[in-house]
Amino acid sequence: QVQIVESGGGLVQPGGSLRLSCSASGSLFSGYPMGWYRQAPGKERELVADIADAGFTNYASSVKGRFIISRNNAKNTWYLRMIDLKPEDTAVYYCNTAPRDLYTWGQGTQVTVSS
């Protein structure tokens, strides 16, 4: 069983920045790409960024150039640095394997972008 815990969300003004963290414990799949997903009210969960074990990254077009995903394999921790945040980035953010979620979802962390 894998436990995932996301943190770092909050309320931020448009143009602001946040850094999200995700830690995982338990029987993790070795070398599997990890991703950050988000789910806005009334919308389906979407993958916004993923990172391979070797460090290669992919981003959704809506966040490219503003979000940076990184990982610390030794600590089983993943990060999402978000800058120039927009109201449309408001969502609950989750991490899991990518592009297919293999672990039980964590509780997520709420990001609200509003003036």
Side-chain angles (χ1 to χ4, degrees):
Q1 184 102 12
V2 172
Q3 184 174 20
I4 295 176
V5 178
E6 300 95 345
S7 62
L11 173 63
V12 63
Q13 292 187 342
S17 61
L18 285 173
R19 189 178 88 148
L20 307 183
S21 298
C22 165
S23 63
S25 60
S27 301
L28 302 175
F29 293 107
S30 177
Y32 218 94
M34 288 295 292
W36 279 96
Y37 299 75
R38 68 184 180 188
Q39 186 167 23
K43 295 189 176 181
E44 292 190 356
R45 186 149 36 198
E46 61 171 343
L47 176 65
V48 297
D50 63 78
I51 183 167
D53 193 49
F56 299 108
T57 57
N58 292 291
Y59 297 94
S61 57
S62 58
V63 306
K64 205 166 190 176
R66 300 187 298 118
F67 289 12
I68 298 175
I69 187 172
S70 59
R71 66 191 294 168
N72 183 326
N73 291 337
K75 294 184 177 180
N76 290 331
T77 304
W78 297 264
Y79 306 96
L80 188 67
R81 173 70 172 160
M82 306 184 294
I83 64 171
D84 190 24
L85 282 161
K86 304 177 180 183
E88 51 264 41
D89 295 318
T90 295
V92 180
Y93 284 72
Y94 304 86
C95 65
N96 210 313
T97 52
R100 193 175 150 221
D101 54 282
L102 299 177
Y103 302 143
T104 301
W105 292 98
Q107 83 288 348
T109 186
Q110 175 71 48
V111 172
T112 302
V113 185
S114 174
S115 55

